[in-house]
Amino acid sequence: MAILPILTAPDPRLKTVSSPVDTVDDKLRQLMDDMCDTMYDAPGIGLAAIQVGVAKRVLVIDLQEEEGVRNPQFFVNPQIIWTSSEDISVYNEGCLSVPEQYAEVERPAECIVQYLDYHGKPQELSAHGLMATCLQHEMDHLDGILFVDHLSSIKRNMMIRKVKKLVKARTAE
Ligand code: GNR
Ligand code: NI
């Protein structure tokens, strides 16, 4: 178990297109466990491997709907096979790699995703609400996309500038 450092924008590594995982083995489960610890420590409701510098198509989500009850869900090589085209939702998103910045992002309200679970077993999940938003936010990370990339360049640059300042202030502490 380990808490890993989270990369922040504009770290170029966050723009990496992550590679598919070959096999879900103990080494990968170790990474998933560490990602889980890192997500709870942050705290956040999701984390993609690239946020801790590992360019693999792996993510963990725990919406923490029930207080004090942990329910991490692991997604290896996730693929969105369907998104709603009419039904769009707007959510005030944040990101651990863009700390303390929030903005409304429009995304399909529903999606269906195929993936391998913690044990390498193929699964399919039909998601709506926060789960659908979070899944799409995390899957964007696997393709090197941050939520600020969905905003105007003015808003994006402003947020990146604020993050730089924040990170600089933190390291000066
Ligand atoms: O903790 C997080 N909260 C969140 C809120 C709205 C939409 C997406 C998210 S994911 C974010 C954690 C994170 O940065 N995951 O990549
Ligand atoms: Ni994020």
Side-chain angles (χ1 to χ4, degrees), residues 43-128:
I45 59 170
L47 193 75
I50 194 62
Q51 293 182 275
V52 293
V54 179
K56 287 185 179 176
R57 303 189 80 84
V58 179
L59 42 103
V60 58
I61 294 177
D62 187 340
L63 301 181
Q64 295 169 45
E65 286 171 315
E66 219 181 320
E67 210 177 292
V69 183
R70 286 186 174 189
N71 180 32
Q73 281 180 271
F74 298 95
F75 300 84
V76 177
N77 298 342
Q79 280 188 294
I80 291 181
I81 59 158
W82 178 83
T83 55
S84 54
S85 46
E86 311 273 276
D87 207 359
I88 303 296
S89 87
V90 182
Y91 202 91
N92 195 30
E93 297 195 15
C95 180
L96 295 171
S97 296
V98 193
E100 295 180 30
Q101 313 302 311
Y102 300 89
E104 291 194 335
V105 178
E106 276 186 24
R107 298 185 189 272
E110 292 175 74
C111 63
I112 299 177
V113 60
Q114 287 181 340
Y115 60 99
L116 303 176
D117 68 14
Y118 191 81
H119 305 286
K121 191 177 162 210
Q123 301 282 359
E124 188 173 295
L125 177 74
S126 179
H128 65 273

Side-chain angles (χ1 to χ4, degrees), residues 35-44 61-62 64 69-72:
M35 285 171 59
C36 211
D37 291 343
T38 305
M39 174 183 70
Y40 290 126
D41 176 70
I61 294 177
D62 187 340
Q64 295 169 45
V69 183
R70 286 186 174 189
N71 180 32

